[in-house]
Amino acid sequence: MSRIKNLDLILDKLASAKKVAMLTGAGVSAESGIKTFRDPDGLWAKFNPAELASADGFMSNQQLVWDWYQERRSIISECKPNAGHYAIAEMETMFEDFALITQNVDRLHQTAGSKNIYELHGNIVDNHCFDCDEPYLDDINPHDNKMPPCKKCGGRIRPSVVWFGEMLPEYDLTQGINAAEECDVFFSVGTSAEVYPASNLPIIAADSGAFVIEINPTATVISPRMHKVIRMTSAQALPIIVEELRKRTGK
Ligand code: OAD
Ligand code: ZN
């Protein structure tokens, strides 16, 4: 049998749920070999977010920021989805309505087959012009550190991630909030829930009456608001939940 305590309660809630929503963070990609931000060996233990993930940082040293994103791109391009990503994609097919709201920029959810995804922090694959917003559509070789100029205005090309101090994509955020308000079950997986407004989605879900579950090996600031916490990694816990739910529902 599984090692998830009170799994029956979770399966009961899921078996009767019509709408399920899930927020994911960097922890979901940790088992694919991509570092998280706030764990002891995370990116923000070594690098300064103000320097590398803000418009001011980019304006003061474009090449430094570009090189850092190129290095992350080259790491991410070698990484594959893990069992957690695949279980999430499978879970989507088991519900009438399943919304995946992610803070991750690595696109591994898409590679694993998830479809209904809202990307709150953009993605690291696309680029656009810092000066005029024009999308830059040419492929960028992650091993080439020469910054290409914008084809429209000659301006500075940047990765299409959301930096600190920037607005989140309005459509994705609105859809994420709607999903949190309307779902029957909400999962918060692999996120420290330290960054607003993503961090507020589990709270919105709890306040709106959803059964809220956290999957994270470590406690977070939102753990006390959860109905259930699973102290396992996402690649351990999610495949068990999906497999047991299949047995339960026969779907
Ligand atoms: P964090 O690095 O803040 O949190 C990662 C969480 O994942 C922690 O709570 C870990 O305990 C947990 N974790 C680690 N390994 C795990 C595993 N194998 N399975 C499940 N959980 C695991 O990352 P986020 O919450 O995603 O934004 O950070 C939010 C935002 O802060 C990011 O999108 C990024 C960052 O600054 C921007 O760059 C704008
Ligand atoms: Zn431009």
Side-chain angles (χ1 to χ4, degrees):
M1 250 333 261
S2 86
R3 290 156 293 135
I4 300 178
K5 273 189 253 157
N6 302 327
L7 181 58
D8 275 340
L9 174 61
I10 295 173
L11 297 177
D12 287 347
K13 296 288 179 188
L14 285 172
S16 61
K18 292 221 160 14
K19 296 189 178 193
V20 173
M22 181 182 285
L23 172 69
T24 60
V28 168
S29 294
E31 286 152 290
S32 292
I34 301 172
K35 280 195 186 312
T36 64
F37 296 93
R38 293 176 185 77
D39 283 304
D41 66 341
L43 294 173
W44 296 155
K46 197 165 152 205
F47 300 106
N48 178 356
E51 208 170 64
L52 297 169
S54 77
D56 283 348
F58 186 67
M59 284 189 286
S60 353
N61 195 340
Q62 294 158 45
Q63 190 69 51
L64 176 83
V65 174
W66 183 256
D67 289 351
W68 190 65
Y69 280 95
Q70 287 290 79
E71 192 189 335
R72 285 181 60 203
R73 280 176 171 149
S74 94
I75 294 167
I76 287 169
S77 70
E78 305 284 319
C79 293
K80 295 187 175 57
N82 62 57
H85 292 106
Y86 287 115
I88 295 167
E90 200 177 334
M91 201 186 269
E92 177 171 355
T93 67
M94 299 168 82
F95 295 94
E96 273 174 43
D97 192 322
F98 185 94
L100 176 59
I101 308 141
T102 190
Q103 299 163 89
N104 296 347
V105 297
D106 55 36
R107 289 264 157 107
L108 290 183
H109 283 307
Q110 284 87 342
T111 307
S114 285
K115 300 271 184 285
N116 194 30
I117 308 178
Y118 303 107
E119 290 181 317
L120 295 185
H121 294 166
N123 76 81
I124 201 167
V125 178
D126 295 335
N127 297 279
H128 66 275
C129 178
F130 181 78
D131 299 291
C132 79
D133 259 355
E134 180 78 358
Y136 183 86
L137 300 174
D138 288 9
D139 283 344
I140 287 183
N141 174 356
H143 303 292
D144 178 2
N145 282 352
K146 194 164 167 294
M147 294 176 64
C150 172
K151 290 186 179 173
K152 191 172 164 196
C153 77
R156 297 160 284 184
I157 298 303
R158 57 164 285 180
S160 297
V161 297
V162 175
W163 282 332
F164 286 103
E166 294 185 322
M167 302 285 284
L168 272 62
E170 199 182 322
Y171 175 78
D172 296 75
L173 179 59
T174 307
Q175 293 294 317
I177 293 171
N178 288 345
E181 282 172 349
E182 289 168 11
C183 67
D184 306 302
V185 175
F186 187 97
F187 287 91
S188 180
V189 189
T191 178
S192 62
E194 296 281 352
V195 177
Y196 182 87
S199 57
N200 205 33
L201 296 177
I203 306 303
I204 292 175
D207 288 345
S208 308
F211 186 77
V212 187
I213 304 160
E214 176 175 73
I215 301 177
N216 195 317
T218 310
T220 71
V221 282
I222 60 163
S223 299
R225 291 295 313 274
M226 301 291 107
H227 297 108
K228 176 84 192 122
V229 291
I230 302 173
R231 294 278 168 250
M232 291 165 72
T233 73
S234 46
Q236 289 167 341
L238 286 163
I240 296 172
I241 295 172
V242 168
E243 192 190 326
E244 295 297 323
L245 184 61
R246 272 210 188 288
K247 284 188 204 154
R248 168 80 66 107
T249 60
K251 278 189 204 163

